[in-house]
Amino acid sequence: ATYHDEALHFTLTYPASLTASNAVTQVVEQSRKEMKSDAEKKALGCITTPLMALRETNDFALIMVMRMDLECLNTPVSAGILSPLAQSSLRQGLARLGLSTVTATTSYKLDNHDAVFLRGAVTDEEGKETAHGAAVCSLVDKSAVCWEVVAIDKGNVTSLLASPVGFDGHPAQPLV
Protein backbone atom coordinates (compact mmCIF):
# COMPACT_ATOMS: atom_id res chain seq x y z
CA ALA A 1 0.00 0.00 0.00
CA THR A 2 1.13 3.59 -0.44
CA TYR A 3 0.57 6.93 1.24
CA HIS A 4 1.44 10.18 -0.58
CA ASP A 5 1.89 13.37 1.43
CA GLU A 6 1.01 16.29 -0.85
CA ALA A 7 2.21 18.94 1.60
CA LEU A 8 5.66 17.45 2.25
CA HIS A 9 6.11 15.80 -1.15
CA PHE A 10 6.91 12.22 -0.17
CA THR A 11 5.44 8.79 -0.80
CA LEU A 12 5.67 5.96 1.74
CA THR A 13 5.17 2.35 0.67
CA TYR A 14 4.13 0.04 3.50
CA PRO A 15 3.03 -3.62 3.70
CA ALA A 16 -0.41 -4.37 2.26
CA SER A 17 -1.12 -6.46 5.39
CA LEU A 18 -1.60 -3.16 7.26
CA THR A 19 -4.94 -1.36 6.85
CA ALA A 20 -5.31 2.42 7.08
CA SER A 21 -7.39 3.31 10.13
CA ASN A 22 -9.17 6.39 11.42
CA ALA A 23 -8.56 5.26 15.02
CA VAL A 24 -5.95 8.01 15.25
CA THR A 25 -8.70 10.65 15.30
CA GLN A 26 -10.11 8.97 18.43
CA VAL A 27 -6.65 9.01 20.06
CA VAL A 28 -6.22 12.71 19.20
CA GLU A 29 -9.65 13.53 20.63
CA GLN A 30 -8.78 11.65 23.84
CA SER A 31 -5.46 13.55 24.05
CA ARG A 32 -7.32 16.83 23.56
CA LYS A 33 -9.61 15.99 26.52
CA GLU A 34 -6.63 15.11 28.75
CA MET A 35 -4.80 18.38 28.04
CA LYS A 36 -5.06 21.01 30.72
CA SER A 37 -3.38 24.13 29.34
CA ASP A 38 -4.28 26.25 26.33
CA ALA A 39 -0.64 25.92 25.20
CA GLU A 40 -0.97 22.12 25.07
CA LYS A 41 -4.24 22.39 23.13
CA LYS A 42 -2.69 24.87 20.68
CA ALA A 43 0.31 22.56 20.20
CA LEU A 44 -1.99 19.65 19.39
CA GLY A 45 -3.50 21.79 16.62
CA CYS A 46 -0.03 22.10 15.05
CA ILE A 47 0.39 18.32 14.83
CA THR A 48 -1.40 16.13 12.30
CA THR A 49 -1.38 12.37 11.87
CA PRO A 50 -2.31 11.83 8.24
CA LEU A 51 -1.65 8.07 8.30
CA MET A 52 -2.07 5.27 10.80
CA ALA A 53 -2.11 1.82 9.24
CA LEU A 54 -2.28 -1.32 11.35
CA ARG A 55 -2.72 -5.06 11.48
CA GLU A 56 -5.11 -5.97 14.28
CA THR A 57 -4.24 -9.62 14.80
CA ASN A 58 -2.11 -11.57 17.29
CA ASP A 59 0.76 -10.38 15.11
CA PHE A 60 -0.15 -6.71 15.76
CA ALA A 61 1.85 -4.06 13.89
CA LEU A 62 1.34 -0.41 13.00
CA ILE A 63 2.99 2.37 11.07
CA MET A 64 2.09 5.99 11.65
CA VAL A 65 3.08 9.29 10.05
CA MET A 66 3.02 12.44 12.19
CA ARG A 67 3.59 15.91 10.83
CA MET A 68 4.58 18.82 13.08
CA ASP A 69 4.34 22.37 11.75
CA LEU A 70 7.35 23.95 13.44
CA GLU A 71 6.30 27.53 12.68
CA CYS A 72 2.89 26.86 14.26
CA LEU A 73 4.68 25.36 17.30
CA ASN A 74 6.97 28.42 17.43
CA THR A 75 9.98 26.09 17.26
CA PRO A 76 13.14 26.81 15.29
CA VAL A 77 13.68 24.65 12.23
CA SER A 78 16.92 22.93 13.20
CA ALA A 79 18.26 19.40 13.41
CA GLY A 80 18.66 19.89 17.17
CA ILE A 81 14.93 19.46 17.77
CA LEU A 82 14.79 16.01 16.14
CA SER A 83 16.23 13.90 18.99
CA PRO A 84 13.93 15.21 21.77
CA LEU A 85 11.00 15.10 19.36
CA ALA A 86 11.65 11.46 18.36
CA GLN A 87 12.23 10.35 21.95
CA SER A 88 9.08 12.06 23.21
CA SER A 89 6.97 10.77 20.31
CA LEU A 90 8.07 7.14 20.64
CA ARG A 91 7.93 7.18 24.45
CA GLN A 92 4.33 8.48 24.36
CA GLY A 93 3.33 6.00 21.66
CA LEU A 94 4.73 3.03 23.55
CA ALA A 95 3.49 4.22 26.96
CA ARG A 96 -0.08 3.46 25.83
CA LEU A 97 0.97 -0.21 25.85
CA GLY A 98 2.81 -0.31 29.19
CA LEU A 99 6.16 0.63 30.71
CA SER A 100 8.31 1.99 27.89
CA THR A 101 12.00 2.62 27.40
CA VAL A 102 13.70 4.24 24.41
CA THR A 103 17.29 4.31 23.21
CA ALA A 104 19.45 7.30 22.36
CA THR A 105 18.97 8.62 18.84
CA THR A 106 21.27 8.07 15.88
CA SER A 107 21.57 10.95 13.40
CA TYR A 108 21.72 10.36 9.64
CA LYS A 109 20.51 11.77 6.31
CA LEU A 110 17.24 10.57 4.77
CA ASP A 111 17.53 11.67 1.14
CA ASN A 112 19.54 14.78 2.15
CA HIS A 113 17.12 15.64 4.97
CA ASP A 114 18.46 15.72 8.55
CA ALA A 115 16.98 12.73 10.37
CA VAL A 116 17.25 10.72 13.58
CA PHE A 117 16.37 7.13 14.42
CA LEU A 118 15.72 5.33 17.71
CA ARG A 119 14.20 2.12 19.02
CA GLY A 120 12.11 1.39 22.08
CA ALA A 121 10.41 -1.43 23.92
CA VAL A 122 7.48 -2.05 26.23
CA THR A 123 7.95 -4.33 29.24
CA ASP A 124 5.52 -5.95 31.64
CA GLU A 125 5.87 -6.01 35.45
CA GLU A 126 8.40 -8.87 35.27
CA GLY A 127 10.57 -6.95 32.81
CA LYS A 128 9.63 -9.17 29.83
CA GLU A 129 9.45 -7.28 26.54
CA THR A 130 5.87 -7.30 25.21
CA ALA A 131 6.13 -4.89 22.27
CA HIS A 132 8.77 -3.08 20.25
CA GLY A 133 8.86 0.22 18.43
CA ALA A 134 11.00 2.64 16.51
CA ALA A 135 10.76 6.17 15.20
CA VAL A 136 12.42 8.13 12.42
CA CYS A 137 12.02 11.90 12.50
CA SER A 138 13.21 14.21 9.75
CA LEU A 139 13.15 17.88 8.84
CA VAL A 140 11.17 18.55 5.65
CA ASP A 141 10.65 22.19 4.67
CA LYS A 142 9.39 23.99 7.80
CA SER A 143 8.03 20.81 9.33
CA ALA A 144 9.24 17.79 11.21
CA VAL A 145 7.81 14.46 10.09
CA CYS A 146 8.00 11.29 12.19
CA TRP A 147 7.41 7.78 10.94
CA GLU A 148 6.62 5.60 13.94
CA VAL A 149 6.34 1.81 13.95
CA VAL A 150 5.15 -0.50 16.73
CA ALA A 151 4.84 -4.29 16.67
CA ILE A 152 4.62 -7.24 19.02
CA ASP A 153 7.43 -8.99 17.14
CA LYS A 154 10.81 -7.22 16.97
CA GLY A 155 11.38 -8.59 13.45
CA ASN A 156 8.25 -6.80 12.22
CA VAL A 157 9.68 -3.48 13.49
CA THR A 158 12.82 -4.11 11.45
CA SER A 159 10.82 -4.96 8.31
CA LEU A 160 8.56 -1.90 8.74
CA LEU A 161 11.69 0.28 9.03
CA ALA A 162 12.67 -1.03 5.59
CA SER A 163 9.51 0.56 4.15
CA PRO A 164 10.65 2.79 1.29
CA VAL A 165 10.02 6.52 1.35
CA GLY A 166 10.61 8.63 -1.74
CA PHE A 167 10.68 12.40 -1.88
CA ASP A 168 9.26 13.81 -5.12
CA GLY A 169 11.79 13.50 -7.93
CA HIS A 170 14.13 11.23 -5.95
CA PRO A 171 14.37 7.42 -5.83
CA ALA A 172 12.75 5.77 -2.81
CA GLN A 173 14.98 4.46 -0.04
CA PRO A 174 14.30 2.57 3.20
CA LEU A 175 13.40 4.70 6.22
CA VAL A 176 16.50 3.29 7.94
Side-chain angles (χ1 to χ4, degrees):
T2 59
Y3 163 74
H4 181 73
D5 192 302
E6 290 289 330
L8 299 180
H9 313 289
F10 71 83
T11 300
L12 172 71
T13 303
Y14 59 92
S17 63
L18 302 182
T19 307
S21 166
N22 64 1
V24 73
T25 52
Q26 296 160 349
V27 171
V28 168
E29 280 310 307
Q30 184 58 38
S31 296
R32 214 179 287 279
K33 288 176 188 156
E34 292 168 3
M35 291 184 171
K36 309 281 184 264
S37 73
D38 288 343
E40 284 180 319
K41 289 176 184 164
K42 180 189 182 301
L44 193 62
C46 301
I47 300 168
T48 55
T49 307
L51 173 71
M52 182 164 103
L54 48 106
R55 180 172 54 235
E56 296 184 86
T57 63
N58 291 345
D59 194 22
F60 176 84
L62 83 75
I63 191 165
M64 189 161 66
V65 175
M66 283 187 302
R67 212 170 36 210
M68 286 134 277
D69 180 330
L70 298 176
E71 283 185 331
C72 175
L73 289 166
N74 223 2
T75 302
V77 180
S78 76
I81 64 149
L82 291 174
S83 285
L85 190 66
Q87 288 176 321
S88 170
S89 174
L90 185 59
R91 191 175 285 116
Q92 287 176 15
L94 292 175
R96 298 186 198 293
L97 303 173
L99 183 65
S100 64
T101 56
V102 298
T103 63
T105 56
T106 302
S107 298
Y108 71 109
K109 292 284 189 186
L110 180 61
D111 192 34
N112 291 326
H113 298 274
D114 287 322
V116 297
F117 160 74
L118 78 157
R119 285 185 176 270
V122 176
T123 53
D124 62 16
E125 298 79 29
E126 288 89 52
K128 180 177 174 280
E129 291 185 346
T130 56
H132 304 272
V136 170
C137 292
S138 179
L139 291 177
V140 183
D141 299 330
K142 291 180 172 28
S143 294
V145 62
C146 292
W147 295 268
E148 205 169 293
V149 301
V150 176
I152 300 298
D153 181 76
K154 201 174 192 172
N156 284 335
V157 170
T158 301
S159 63
L160 286 169
L161 289 172
S163 296
V165 63
F167 292 88
D168 290 359
H170 296 252
Q173 63 186 60
L175 282 169
V176 178

